[in-house]
C-alpha cells in the first residue's frame, strides 16, 4: 500500500464538496480521477499532498490519512519546484544532488586508496559504490537526456535559464523534473496541457513503464484510456471507484445510471402508493392502524438518490436546411501566413486539399504551424497571398472560434442571443440555453464574466440556431468538462453535414474524424479514418523508412568492408610506412604514460605544505608542470594524427 484515506470530508462556503471519501492506492495502481469541474478533484489532491486538511469529525467518522513509511509523493503543479535562476541542465541535475555528491566522494576515496591501504577507506568506498550503482548513478546523464528530449528540450536548450522560458515550457520542465525524481506516488493534474501530440505520446509510453503508482486528473480521455486501469469518479461529493480505463468506466457508468434510475423510479412509485393509502385511510378508524404501519414503512425507507442525467439535460443538435453539392471545397497551392507587410511570416507554403460533402475532416499539426489561421483563411476571414479557395454553391458555414472573438463580452448571455435573433422570446432563449446547460443566474451575467467552458456552450447554442450545413470548429472541446465533451461529440457524430475541425483532443479525433490531414511546413498529408488509423499508418511508414535507412547502413557497411579488403593489398612500401607509424604510436603511448606519471608526482608535490611554503621551488615545479603539459599535448596530437592515418 502507498496511501490510504478514510472519511475525508471538506466544506467550502457552506457547501460540502467531499463526503466521507475513502481511497486506497496500492504500489502498482494506475488511477484516473474524474468528475465535472468544481466537483472536488483538486481539493482531494491537495489533501493527499498535505496542502489542505480534511474536516475534523467525531468518531466513528474521524478522518484518517495513512502514508506508508518511506513513500515519496510527487505532485505536478504549474512551475512547481523550479529555480528561475538555474539553467535547464542545472535544474535537472539538482534531482541527483545526493548521487552527484556520492560520485565526488568516490573520486576522493579513489585518490586516498592509491596512497594508502586503510580498511576504513576501503569499506566506505565499497558501501558508497554499492549505493551509487543500485540507484543507477552511472545512468544520470542518460536519464536526464532521455526525459528532456522526450519533453521537447533538445541538447541545445540545456543552457537556457529557466526565467527565460514560456509558461508552457516551464510546465513541461516541471513535469520532466518530476519524472526524474521518480516518486513512489506520482500525481498528475492535467499533464497533457501545453504538450503537442509527439510529447504526449512519448509521455504515455514513459508512464506505461513507470514503476510507482499513478493518480491522474485529466480531461484527455485518450490519455486516460492508454494509462489507467481503474477510474475514480467524484459525483455530489462522493467518490466511487470502477475497474478499467475511462472507456470501460463510461460503459459501466451508463449501466449503473440506467439501473439506479429504474430503482429510483420504482421506489418513487412505491412511495406514491404508500402516501396515497395514508392520505385516504389515516382518518378512518377502521383503517387507521394500517395507514400508520405504512407511515412507519415510509419513515424507515432508505431513499434512493436520483442519478445525475447529464446526457438527458443537455440536448445539443446541429441541423441544416439546404444540402450542398458533393464536391464541397477545393484548396489549391495556398499559403498560410501571419502578420502583414515586412513582418509577414509564411508558416506553410503551397497547401492543397479537397473536402467532400459529409466528411468529418480533422486537421492536426505541430503547435504554431497555422491550423487556426488556415480555418480563417478558407473562410476568407484572413487574406491569402496566392492559390485558389473554391467553395461550391449552397454552402452555409457555422464557425466555432476557440477565442470566442465573435461574442460581445459586454453583453449578457441572454442579450448575446437576442441581438442575433430579435424575434426570439425570452422563454425560447432560456429554453435554448438550458439545452447547453446554461441556466440560472448565469444567463444574466456578462459574456466576459462567465467561464471559458460556459462561453463555448453559448457558441454551440448560437450555432444550433444558425443551421449551417458546414461546421468549422477550432478546438471545440477546450475548456469543456468530460460530460459536456461527450454530449457535444454525440451531436457532431449525429450531424450528417460536413465538419472541418482543428483539435488536440485525440479522443474526439478518433471518434469523429473520417479523415485526418496532417499539416507540416512543406506539405499536407491525408490519412483515412480516425486518430488510431492515423497513428497506425504513421508507424508503418516510419518502420518502412527505418528499414530503408537500415538497408542503406548495411550497404554502406558492406561497401566499407570491400574497400577495407582492397586497402589490405597495399604495396610493400605502404606496409613498411604503416609499420613505422605503428612503432611511433607505441613510442608516443609510452612517452605520454611517462609524462602523465611525472605530472601526477609534481601535482602531489604541489600539495605538500613545505613546497607551498617555498615560493621559488613552487614556481619551478609549476613551470615544469606546464612544460610537461605542453609536451604531452603535442604527443597526443601526433598520436591522434597517426592513429587516424592508420585507420584509413
Amino acid at each position: 500500500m502507498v496511501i490510504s484515506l478514510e472519511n475525508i470530508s471538506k466544506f467550502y462556503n457552506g457547501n460540502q464538496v467531499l463526503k466521507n471519501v475513502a481511497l486506497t492506492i496500492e504500489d502498482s495502481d494506475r488511477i484516473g480521477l474524474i468528475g465535472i469541474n468544481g466537483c472536488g478533484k483538486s481539493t482531494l489532491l491537495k489533501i493527499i499532498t498535505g496542502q489542505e486538511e480534511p474536516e475534523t469529525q467525531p468518531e466513528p467518522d474521524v478522518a484518517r490519512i495513512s502514508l506508508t513509511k518511506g513513500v515519496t509523493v510527487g505532485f505536478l503543479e504549474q512551475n512547481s519546484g523550479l529555480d528561475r535562476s538555474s539553467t535547464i541542465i542545472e535544474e535537472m541535475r539538482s534531482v541527483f544532488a545526493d548521487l552527484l555528491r556520492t560520485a565526488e566522494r568516490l573520486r576522493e576515496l579513489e585518490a586516498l586508496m592509491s596512497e594508502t591501504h586503510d580498511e576504513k577507506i576501503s569499506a566506505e568506498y565499497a558501501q558508497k559504490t554499492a549505493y551509487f550503482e543500485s540507484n543507477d548513478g552511472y545512468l544520470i546523464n542518460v536519464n536526464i537526456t532521455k526525459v528532456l528530449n522526450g519533453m521537447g528540450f533538445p541538447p541545445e536548450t540545456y543552457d537556457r535559464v529557466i526565467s527565460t522560458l514560456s509558461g508552457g515550457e516551464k510546465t513541461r520542465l516541471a513535469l520532466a523534473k518530476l519524472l526524474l525524481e521518480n516518486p513512489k506516488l506520482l500525481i498528475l493534474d492535467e499533464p497533457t496541457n501545453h504538450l503537442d501530440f509527439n510529447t504526449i505520446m512519448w509521455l504515455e509510453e514513459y508512464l506505461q513503464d513507470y514503476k510507482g503508482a499513478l493518480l491522474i486528473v485529466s480531461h484527455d480521455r485518450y490519455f486516460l484510456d492508454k494509462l489507467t486501469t481503474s477510474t475514480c469518479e467524484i459525483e455530489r461529493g462522493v467518490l466511487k471507484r470502477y475497474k478499467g480505463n475511462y472507456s470501460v468506466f463510461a460503459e459501466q457508468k451508463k449501466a449503473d445510471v440506467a439501473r439506479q434510475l429504474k430503482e429510483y423510479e420504482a421506489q418513487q412509485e412505491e412511495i406514491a402508493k404508500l402516501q396515497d393509502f395514508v392520505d385516504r385511510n389515516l382518518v378512518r378508524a377502521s383503517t387507521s392502524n394500517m395507514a400508520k404501519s405504512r407511515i412507519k414503512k415510509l419513515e424507515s425507507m432508505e431513499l434512493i438518490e436520483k442519478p445525475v442525467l447529464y446526457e438527458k439535460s443537455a440536448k445539443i443538435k446541429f441541423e441544416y436546411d439546404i444540402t450542398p453539392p458533393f464536391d464541397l471545397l477545393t484548396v489549391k497551392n495556398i499559403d498560410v501566413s501571419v502578420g502583414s507587410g515586412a513582418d509577414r511570416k509564411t508558416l506553410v507554403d503551397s497547401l492543397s486539399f479537397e473536402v467532400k460533402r459529409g466528411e468529418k475532416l480533422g486537421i492536426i499539426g505541430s503547435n504554431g504551424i497555422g491550423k487556426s489561421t488556415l480555418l480563417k483563411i478558407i473562410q476568407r476571414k484572413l487574406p491569402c497571398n496566392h492559390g485558389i479557395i473554391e467553395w461550391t454553391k449552397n454552402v452555409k458555414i457555422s464557425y466555432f472560434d476557440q477565442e470566442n472573438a465573435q461574442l460581445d463580452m459586454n453583453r449578457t448571455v441572454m442579450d448575446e442571443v437576442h441581438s442575433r435573433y430579435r424575434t426570439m422570446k425570452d422563454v425560447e432563449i432560456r429554453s435554448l440555453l438550458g439545452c447547453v446547460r446554461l441556466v440560472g443566474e448565469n444567463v444574466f451575467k456578462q459574456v466576459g464574466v462567465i467561464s471559458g467552458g460556459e462561453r463555448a456552450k453559448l457558441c454551440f447554442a448560437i450555432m444550433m440556431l444558425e443551421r449551417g450545413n458546414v461546421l468549422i470548429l477550432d478546438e471545440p472541446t477546450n475548456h469543456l468538462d468530460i460530460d459536456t465533451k461527450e454530449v457535444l461529440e454525440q451531436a457532431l457524430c449525429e450531424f450528417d453535414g460536413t465538419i472541418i475541425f482543428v483539435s488536440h483532443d485525440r479522443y474526439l479525433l478518433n471518434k469523429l474524424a473520417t479523415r485526418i490531414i496532417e499539416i507540416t511546413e512543406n506539405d499536407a498529408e491525408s490519412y483515412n479514418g480516425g486518430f488510431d488509423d492515423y497513428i497506425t499508418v504513421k508507424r508503418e511508414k516510419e518502420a518502412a523508412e527505418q528499414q530503408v535507412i537500415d538497408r542503406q547502413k548495411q550497404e554502406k557497411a558492406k561497401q566499407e568492408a570491400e574497400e577495407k579488403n582492397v586497402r589490405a593489398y597495399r604495396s610493400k612500401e605502404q606496409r613498411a610506412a604503416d609499420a613505422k607509424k605503428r612503432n611511433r604510436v607505441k613510442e608516443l603511448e609510452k612517452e605520454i604514460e611517462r609524462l602523465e606519471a611525472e605530472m601526477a608526482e609534481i601535482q602531489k608535490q604541489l600539495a605538500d605544505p613545505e613546497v607551498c611554503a617555498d615560493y621559488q621551488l613552487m614556481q619551478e615545479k609549476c613551470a615544469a608542470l606546464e612544460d610537461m603539459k605542453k609536451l604531452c599535448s603535442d604527443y597526443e596530437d601526433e598520436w591522434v594524427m597517426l592513429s587516424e592515418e592508420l585507420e584509413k
Side-chain angles (χ1 to χ4, degrees):
M1 184 191 77
V2 175
I3 191 170
S4 174
L5 294 88
E6 296 178 68
N7 299 318
I8 303 300
S9 296
K10 192 70 178 178
F11 287 86
Y12 280 122
N13 300 323
N15 297 319
Q16 189 169 13
V17 294
L18 297 176
K19 299 178 183 177
N20 292 332
V21 165
L23 175 64
T24 298
I25 302 177
E26 301 292 347
D27 294 354
S28 58
D29 272 347
R30 301 282 191 271
I31 301 171
L33 180 61
I34 65 169
I36 63 173
N37 293 340
C39 73
K41 299 187 297 293
S42 295
T43 300
L44 181 60
L45 296 186
K46 288 177 181 177
I47 289 173
I48 291 173
T49 54
Q51 297 179 25
E52 289 193 17
E53 294 292 328
E55 301 295 336
T56 302
Q57 301 179 112
E59 289 285 1
D61 295 328
V62 63
R64 294 183 178 87
I65 301 175
S66 303
L67 185 67
T68 300
K69 187 178 179 181
V71 164
T72 51
V73 178
F75 182 29
L76 174 66
E77 294 179 287
Q78 193 166 13
N79 305 344
S80 171
L82 297 179
D83 182 349
R84 291 172 56 83
S85 63
S86 293
T87 64
I88 288 175
I89 192 65
E90 287 170 347
E91 190 69 9
M92 296 303 102
R93 287 178 68 82
S94 71
V95 173
F96 305 99
D98 187 51
L99 281 172
L100 292 171
R101 283 193 295 271
T102 301
E104 189 174 340
R105 179 58 180 162
L106 285 172
R107 286 193 291 270
E108 292 172 357
L109 292 171
E110 286 168 357
L112 291 171
M113 289 167 64
S114 67
E115 300 170 3
T116 182
H117 295 289
D118 190 314
E119 290 185 4
K120 287 184 179 180
I121 294 174
S122 298
E124 183 185 355
Y125 184 80
Q127 182 263 329
K128 289 195 179 300
T129 299
Y131 169 77
F132 191 74
E133 291 177 349
S134 64
N135 288 277
D136 294 331
Y138 294 110
L139 297 177
I140 289 175
N141 291 331
V142 172
N143 289 331
I144 289 175
T145 301
K146 176 183 176 182
V147 171
L148 284 179
N149 285 350
M151 294 305 296
F153 293 99
E156 57 267 24
T157 66
Y158 290 2
D159 292 328
R160 285 185 63 185
V161 178
I162 290 171
S163 61
T164 66
L165 302 179
S166 68
E169 288 172 326
K170 287 174 184 172
T171 301
R172 285 191 282 119
L173 191 63
L175 178 52
K177 184 178 180 181
L178 195 57
L179 294 177
L180 288 171
E181 287 171 350
N182 198 35
K184 189 68 176 176
L185 171 59
L186 179 58
I187 301 175
L188 303 175
D189 191 356
E190 297 296 348
T192 59
N193 287 358
H194 307 291
L195 304 185
D196 57 25
F197 281 145
N198 290 334
T199 307
I200 291 173
M201 288 188 284
W202 177 88
L203 179 61
E204 285 170 350
E205 290 181 6
Y206 187 91
L207 292 178
Q208 281 169 354
D209 296 326
Y210 193 76
K211 291 181 173 61
L214 298 175
L215 178 59
I216 302 170
V217 173
S218 181
H219 286 88
D220 188 335
R221 295 156 296 168
Y222 197 96
F223 188 77
L224 291 173
D225 271 357
K226 284 285 187 181
L227 291 174
T228 59
T229 55
S230 65
T231 302
C232 291
E233 182 190 34
I234 299 178
E235 184 177 69
R236 291 171 173 168
V238 177
L239 183 143
K240 184 174 180 181
R241 188 165 182 169
Y242 296 80
K243 287 184 179 180
N245 62 16
Y246 178 80
S247 292
V248 174
F249 151 79
E251 290 300 318
Q252 291 178 341
K253 174 74 174 179
K254 188 176 179 181
D256 281 359
V257 168
R259 175 187 49 76
Q260 190 179 343
L261 183 60
K262 284 183 180 179
E263 291 174 356
Y264 169 80
E265 290 172 344
Q267 188 183 63
Q268 290 298 307
E269 187 178 341
E270 183 184 3
I271 290 171
K273 287 179 181 178
L274 290 170
Q275 190 63 52
D276 179 62
F277 185 90
V278 170
D279 293 342
R280 286 186 292 105
N281 295 286
L282 185 61
V283 293
R284 294 180 185 174
S286 60
T287 57
S288 177
N289 286 337
M290 293 176 65
K292 287 177 181 177
S293 106
R294 281 162 174 75
I295 289 173
K296 288 182 180 178
K297 187 175 181 179
L298 282 169
E299 289 173 346
S300 64
M301 188 177 288
E302 187 175 340
L303 294 178
I304 298 171
E305 233 180 359
K306 185 177 181 180
V308 181
L309 303 173
Y310 295 114
E311 68 278 5
K312 293 201 173 183
S313 61
K315 300 174 183 175
I316 300 176
K317 190 172 182 63
F318 301 110
E319 297 177 312
Y320 59 92
D321 303 309
I322 303 171
T323 302
F326 182 71
D327 294 319
L328 193 82
L329 170 64
T330 300
V331 176
K332 286 184 180 179
N333 299 323
I334 69 166
D335 68 317
V336 178
S337 304
V338 292
S340 58
D343 296 327
R344 189 171 181 83
K345 179 183 178 183
T346 298
L347 303 174
V348 185
D349 194 18
S350 299
L351 178 62
S352 300
F353 61 91
E354 293 181 345
V355 182
K356 307 298 182 183
R357 185 186 67 225
E359 277 198 300
K360 308 292 193 292
L361 179 64
I363 298 175
I364 65 173
S366 60
N367 293 340
I369 197 66
K371 302 183 295 293
S372 298
T373 303
L374 172 63
L375 294 187
K376 293 174 182 175
I377 288 173
I378 63 174
Q379 295 177 81
R380 298 189 174 90
K381 293 179 180 290
L382 289 177
C384 178
N385 279 356
H386 60 77
I388 298 171
I389 300 170
E390 290 183 349
W391 287 96
T392 189
K393 60 182 180 179
N394 294 332
V395 166
K396 185 176 183 182
I397 295 173
S398 188
Y399 174 49
F400 177 87
D401 181 358
Q402 66 167 318
E403 298 173 353
N404 308 135
Q406 73 272 40
L407 300 178
D408 187 333
M409 298 296 160
N410 296 316
R411 289 191 182 127
T412 67
V413 172
M414 286 280 290
D415 289 342
E416 182 65 24
V417 179
H418 194 262
S419 68
R420 299 163 185 262
Y421 298 92
R422 297 286 184 185
T423 59
M424 285 187 74
K425 298 176 182 178
D426 284 357
V427 67
E428 293 173 325
I429 295 175
R430 292 291 299 267
S431 176
L432 171 73
L433 294 173
C435 287
V436 294
R437 286 188 284 162
L438 276 174
V439 295
E441 292 301 313
N442 282 341
V443 302
F444 301 112
K445 292 179 181 177
Q446 287 185 326
V447 174
V449 172
I450 61 176
S451 70
E454 288 167 331
R455 281 197 291 273
K457 293 173 187 176
L458 174 58
C459 290
F460 298 139
I462 293 170
M463 291 175 70
M464 288 163 65
L465 294 174
E466 289 173 343
R467 302 182 70 82
N469 52 29
V470 175
L471 306 183
I472 297 182
L473 312 170
D474 189 5
E475 300 288 0
T477 57
N478 278 8
H479 308 297
L480 299 182
D481 57 46
I482 288 179
D483 297 295
T484 309
K485 284 181 180 181
E486 292 186 343
V487 173
L488 174 64
E489 282 167 4
Q490 184 177 351
L492 294 175
C493 288
E494 291 173 354
F495 179 68
D496 63 0
T498 307
I499 300 176
I500 303 172
F501 69 106
V502 166
S503 182
H504 283 88
D505 187 337
R506 295 170 297 162
Y507 202 92
L508 176 69
L509 286 162
N510 216 33
K511 190 170 183 180
L512 180 62
T514 57
R515 185 161 64 99
I516 288 176
I517 288 182
E518 182 181 28
I519 298 176
T520 60
E521 290 183 4
N522 302 315
D523 198 9
E525 191 154 359
S526 179
Y527 300 83
N528 290 327
F531 189 80
D532 282 346
D533 301 305
Y534 155 78
I535 287 296
T536 299
V537 174
K538 283 276 287 185
R539 286 179 175 164
E540 287 174 352
K541 287 180 66 177
E542 288 170 0
E545 289 170 358
Q546 188 60 48
Q547 286 180 351
V548 171
I549 292 170
D550 290 343
R551 280 199 300 270
Q552 289 174 343
K553 286 181 178 178
Q554 290 172 0
E555 289 172 2
K556 185 178 180 182
K558 183 180 178 181
Q559 183 179 353
E560 287 176 350
E562 291 173 351
E563 290 174 355
K564 190 175 181 180
N565 290 336
V566 170
R567 287 197 299 271
Y569 294 97
R570 290 174 298 175
S571 65
K572 182 179 178 181
E573 291 78 6
Q574 287 174 320
R575 290 197 295 274
D578 286 348
K580 188 176 180 181
K581 288 177 183 177
R582 280 192 290 272
N583 290 333
R584 178 57 180 163
V585 165
K586 289 178 183 178
E587 290 174 7
L588 288 169
E589 288 171 349
K590 289 179 181 178
E591 284 298 304
I592 291 169
E593 186 178 351
R594 179 184 64 78
L595 285 170
E596 286 177 343
E598 290 180 7
M599 285 190 290
E601 178 61 29
I602 291 177
Q603 286 173 332
K604 183 178 174 182
Q605 291 171 5
L606 289 173
D608 189 328
E610 292 183 6
V611 175
C612 292
D614 188 334
Y615 178 77
Q616 185 173 353
L617 180 59
M618 186 81 169
Q619 287 288 89
E620 289 174 359
K621 290 192 176 294
C622 285
L625 182 62
E626 286 302 314
D627 290 342
M628 288 181 183
K629 284 182 179 179
K630 175 67 171 62
L631 183 58
C632 189
S633 177
D634 292 342
Y635 284 165
E636 285 173 348
D637 290 343
E638 185 182 356
W639 182 90
V640 169
M641 181 188 69
L642 291 173
S643 298
E644 287 176 350
E645 288 177 0
L646 286 169
E647 287 177 1
K648 291 179 181 178

